[in-house]
Amino acid sequence: MAEAYVNGQAVPRGQAIAAAARLLASATLPVIAGLAADAAGIRAALQLARTIGAVVDHAHGPVLSREAEVLARMGTMATTAQEIRRIGDVLLLAGLGDDAEAVRLLDYLSHGTPKRIVSLGPAPKAKVAVALPAEGEPAIAAGLALLRATCGERLAKPPADYRAAADLLRGAKFGAAVYSPALLGAPALEMVLGLAGDLNAGHRFSTVALPAPANGEAAMQICGWLFGVPLRSRWMDGGAKHDPWRFDARRLVETREADAALWIGPIEDPPDWLRRVPAVVLAGRGFAPDKMPEVAISVGRPGVDHPGVLYQLETRALCLVPPSRPTALPSSAEIVAAIHAALPASGSGA
Amino acid sequence: MIHLKGGYLVDPVNHLDGPGDLWIEGGRIVAPPAGGRATETVDCTGCVVMAGAIDVHSHIGGGNVNTARLLLPEEHPASLRRPGETPLSRIGFDVDTTGRLYAEMGFTTVIEPAMMPSNGLHAHLELADIPIIDKGALVVLGNEDFLLTLLRGKESRSAVRDYVSYMVESTGALGIKVINAGASAAFKANARTFALDDEVPGYGVSSRQIVLALQQAVDELGIPHPLHIHCNNLGVPGNADTALATMEATSGRPAHLAHIQFYGYGKEGRRGFSSAAARVAEAVNRRKDVTVDIGQIMFGQTVTISCDTLRQFTARNFSRPRKWVITETDFNGGGIVPYRYSSSDFYNVVQWAVGLELFLLIDDPWRVFFTTDHPNGAPFTFYPEIFALLMDRQARNNAIAELPKRAIAMTGLASIAREYTLAEIAIMTRAAPARLLGLADRGHLGRGARADVAVYRRRDDKAEMFRSTVVTIKAGTVVVRDGTVVATPEGKALVVKPGAGTAISRRMERYYEEVFGLSPQFFHVDPAALGRDEPFMEVPCRS
């Protein structure tokens, strides 16, 4: 990808920035999606959203939104991967899945205190003390419910493997349910958090969630402090409004309620649905779609081309990651700030 | 040059309590110019002019505060039935609103008292986005494996001192806070209560030992702010004994006991809950090396946010609405429990009275600080009402008359006649906090001081008077006019740099690699990551 494109033609970056500003400023309901950038990029995007009255959502909005809704409904009991690595002695892999991040997480947790493992549903290959088979999200949710009832002595005759699993969980010095929110629906999420909460009546137990990809947790946190509400929000009438259905970026674009989109990369490229409205895309060097969006601008990758603040799986916290091979490519934050500065004076929708 | 003309200056540091003018240039308070020409003159007739106020303990940013926002989207102003009604009902504000509301009340420096090291960068990013006010953060130590292992191994004072220094510098802190020392570690080992002489399972180290080790390190490092202590047994009936025992244990060196209201409880009466404020106040009056802030409660919805995971785990049973968060990390962790203080609830009314009693019975305004432990006792937006309760006995009596007599009878509040003077308010909210935190450049109106100034219209209704300023000036810039924010300059984060030893730094590297497979760089706060020009301002340590 060259440094910038307008309508498929390679142009100098400044020209693309001006085109992006014009496109966004003239929109009635712009959407800023993706937010697949470092903290500075996300923050700049949210400030722009505030000025132009844009909706903000993340590339992994569905998962983040589901987690946020469960959090606002019941709260959570959670700990960090690093602390479970140090003191955890029992793991319940509850819908963790077996993708690369799940493997990385389990591998990280497996050091330190030796662990006994109960698995429920798909999980990375590991030595498991009790395996509770479950295929698909509804079966995992049902399995979690059965396990919770067994742990709570609410069943006259629990299945033998569930009894064995419950004994293991309740025998833990400090246990943790390890799960991937992407694989669990709201009922299963509530069940896994409820199970952890219940177990603390007499024992110690918590949870470790696989963070949403593409710096999603950072986007949620930054929206929390800048807007005061979770993602899937819009700054309008002088304040933030939050509505997980109304401000779902994909729904807005697919129905064309939105009339322009800005995709903030580069950690993840835009999905095909974005192209249903005129779009500005900030993406990494490798971005090469069949048809270029109205405006595309090449940006560096945080932690590779330039330093960036990224949410860490191990610590559940934001951390500055130095560049692995620094380049002169601009950051998402710089480009978003430049678009912001290039807005015509009447471009304020807020 | 700004000329504040014809006001009534209240500045106990410079013995000002009378009519006078103030001149400001280059962000500082300056001598009256020979020519007497100003670019702006503010008519302060009928107004009281004080230094900008300093809040020593208010949870305004960091992971736990933000989790509270996400836990309670229904408390965001946009979700409330009448969002424009009043700022008082709000606890869900974003960072921008936080800075604006503080500035409107004439506050220009606010201390976030609970920055977990693992969340240091997050806390600083969030604090940097709060406009106008300067911030400082206290880093929370005293429950982490590394320190407890040092203490278990009876390592030298210098090792603990180096560690504390390393953590302060690495996280960009202004001081150290210890929160229920050892209890979060004990909770991980399934303890449900934890007292001063209880030992952390697996370490053989008592809460007392942890507090004393940290207090000594802070003192020897010359960090201006004394160890900021959140004692054991917060909220437990009879816990005045804990507060007194902690004062006894820490005597001989300076110690700051946070939100002492939550430790002002006896066990008298049919319900086993009463005010022990008189005992606690007497002890504070006697022990000159102790300072306290109050943590006043006010009635209404709020959310409690604390790194005291053991206490918050118990408090979850009282959550209103019924939801809560407990997170645990290699440091303290956090507990977020929404709560509604009710004026018809016996216990809440006793708590309300205990806070006011402590304010009024502690004689020395230099050693008692004005806080609600925002948002734990009440949102900081309740400050004007609390000023009125302290300065106006009639307002206090009116409030008492509305409350259940049985609860008030378990306290001594009704018999107290004291009314705070303007000078005492200026000490408690300006001069004393500046001294407590080592901020010689603020808290007063002397020449050369940072031009953080609040101008209030004098009114009989003290709540009305302190609700918003005529003018607030931050570092020489007019930021509020007639109660409305007109400029939003960036504030600084105040930090100390006591000088960390390289030996401990290598040891931390080894420990983090061995135990966590990580580098301690994970919690290092690099100012460059904050995306600001010079986000930090250094406060000198005592030499």
Side-chain angles (χ1 to χ4, degrees), chain B residues 233-350:
Chain B
N233 295 325
L234 184 142
V236 176
N239 66 3
D241 292 341
T242 304
L244 266 50
T246 306
M247 286 185 223
E248 177 77 42
T250 56
S251 71
R253 291 180 193 272
H256 181 84
L257 271 56
H259 38 68
I260 192 81
Q261 177 277 127
F262 289 106
Y263 300 90
Y265 312 144
K267 288 196 282 197
E268 307 296 313
R270 198 163 52 87
R271 298 177 196 244
F273 191 68
S274 56
S275 167
R279 270 175 71 210
V280 173
E282 187 277 326
V284 174
N285 287 338
R286 192 157 35 84
R287 297 189 176 279
K288 306 296 183 202
D289 44 16
V290 168
T291 52
V292 299
D293 67 84
I294 298 295
Q296 178 65 33
I297 76 138
M298 295 294 272
F299 305 113
Q301 178 70 52
T302 192
V303 54
T304 66
I305 299 173
S306 175
C307 294
D308 188 344
T309 49
L310 181 142
R311 147 77 198 174
Q312 291 296 73
F313 181 73
T314 306
R316 81 195 188 289
N317 293 325
F318 304 98
S319 58
R320 280 190 278 181
R322 205 84 178 128
K323 52 185 175 180
W324 47 271
V325 172
I326 299 287
T327 56
E328 291 171 272
T329 75
D330 52 323
F331 295 92
N332 271 65
I336 296 138
V337 181
Y339 190 72
R340 196 175 302 133
Y341 292 102
S342 164
S343 59
S344 59
D345 179 286
F346 172 86
Y347 301 93
N348 294 165
V349 172
V350 171

Side-chain angles (χ1 to χ4, degrees), chain A residues 34 59 263-265 268-275 279-283 287 289 293:
Chain A
W263 181 269
I264 311 283
E268 209 159 293
D269 285 342
D272 291 340
W273 55 257
L274 193 83
R275 300 306 318 283
V280 177
V281 171
L282 312 190
F287 181 59

Side-chain angles (χ1 to χ4, degrees), chain A residues 52-77:
Chain A
I52 63 175
V55 166
V56 291
D57 193 2
H58 186 266
H60 293 267
V63 184
L64 287 166
S65 186
R66 195 158 66 234
E67 281 191 282
E69 283 181 64
V70 170
L71 177 71
R73 204 147 56 226
M74 66 177 290
T76 188
M77 180 113 200

Side-chain angles (χ1 to χ4, degrees), chain A residues 43 72 79 108 200 204 221, chain B residues 66 129 192 323 328 516:
Chain A
R43 187 174 164 274
T79 184
Y108 179 78
N200 282 290
R204 284 315 326 276
Q221 290 294 327
Chain B
N66 211 39
D129 277 336
R192 301 300 158 111
K323 52 185 175 180
E328 291 171 272
F516 298 124

